Amino acid sequence: MPAILLVLVGAWALARHESSLPPAEEASPADGEAPAVIAADGTEVTWSCVGSQWDEGWSRSWLALEGARTGWVDACMRAYLVTSDAGGDGDAGAAGGDTYRIAVTAYWTTRGGYAVAPWQSVDAVPAGPVTVEITSGADGVASSLMTAGFSVQPCGEGETAQRTWLEGWDLLLTDGCPGPLPDVVSEEGVDVDRAYWVVDRPSDADITVHTWQVTLPAGQEPRLSLQLSSPAGYTRAGEPAEGATS
């Protein structure tokens, strides 16, 4: 029995030591503004980019440890006008109007982190999920959204990075081919004038792509804005408040 206890204590101490090590620092993307997907058709009408720090908390009660991982996200929004029904004759679908496809490519980079005992105090910014949000500045008459995440891995023999990703979108990677990624989005949704995605495990993300298709009343031009927000604040780019931060 004493030998078994020693083994268990040793395994616990080793697990605690390994968990307390800071995460490996990841390299920043070669081009944080490079899109991972592009529209297969349509006319690009606007694009904007924004970056923000993220802080993800974690706890391991059985190891008497809690901590956080920190990093940076580079996100760019590109919007395309794909169908137009300026005359209201229904060419844009049953709803009528002008249909836009918007994609946000986000690169999630881990830069550090810490682990301490629960009773230790750490001077750190509030940790919590990051919300990626697009607003249109106008009420849509129809909309749909989708999220996809992938890691980048070496391409196999005869495999190329560019391919059809979804109907209406082409995948465009320059540093490898797409691989699987754990589900990192805990919530997503749309309203008449916005789409949003909540990324609750940024450290597990590599590249995420969020797409929104929205139909606006004919002739109603969108004022698109991309915002990243977390418990530490928000950063926004585009209209109506380009560059506003808090």
Side-chain angles (χ1 to χ4, degrees):
M1 181 65 71
I4 295 176
L5 289 176
L6 285 175
V7 170
L8 291 175
V9 170
W12 180 87
L14 179 61
R16 193 175 193 277
H17 171 72
E18 293 293 330
S19 296
S20 66
L21 296 176
E25 185 170 339
E26 297 175 345
S28 299
D31 182 357
E33 296 185 357
V37 300
I38 56 176
D41 53 20
T43 302
E44 185 172 305
V45 293
T46 187
W47 70 278
S48 59
C49 297
V50 68
S52 179
Q53 179 176 319
W54 56 262
D55 298 271
E56 171 191 319
W58 61 268
S59 178
R60 305 287 186 272
S61 58
W62 68 281
L63 292 175
L65 283 174
E66 60 184 28
R69 298 180 181 91
T70 65
W72 189 262
V73 53
D74 294 286
C76 285
M77 169 184 68
R78 294 179 183 269
Y80 305 83
L81 175 63
V82 292
T83 56
S84 180
D85 184 19
D89 58 7
D91 291 342
D98 301 331
T99 298
Y100 296 84
R101 286 187 185 138
I102 304 105
V104 177
T105 298
Y107 298 91
W108 305 83
T109 304
T110 300
R111 292 189 171 173
Y114 67 87
V116 297
W119 54 86
Q120 290 182 275
S121 177
V122 176
D123 184 15
V125 298
V130 177
T131 299
V132 179
E133 181 178 358
I134 311 169
T135 56
S136 66
D139 290 352
V141 295
S143 67
S144 61
L145 76 167
M146 193 185 132
T147 299
F150 44 85
S151 60
V152 180
Q153 61 186 22
C155 295
E157 186 176 353
E159 188 179 17
T160 59
Q162 186 169 357
R163 69 194 70 188
T164 298
W165 177 63
L166 286 173
E167 183 178 357
W169 297 99
D170 288 336
L171 180 63
L172 182 60
L173 295 177
T174 59
D175 298 325
C177 285
L181 184 74
D183 183 12
V184 297
V185 175
S186 60
E187 182 182 350
E188 60 183 33
V190 290
D191 293 325
V192 293
D193 63 346
R194 72 177 185 124
Y196 69 92
W197 301 263
V198 180
V199 179
D200 61 347
R201 299 204 315 278
S203 65
D204 287 342
D206 185 3
I207 302 174
T208 58
V209 176
H210 314 281
T211 70
W212 182 30
Q213 179 169 301
V214 60
T215 301
L216 300 179
Q220 175 72 66
E221 294 186 5
R223 293 184 299 135
L224 293 166
S225 176
L226 169 65
Q227 179 171 294
L228 303 176
S229 58
S230 72
Y234 72 91
T235 306
R236 183 167 55 203
E239 298 181 276
E242 185 171 357
T245 61
S246 72

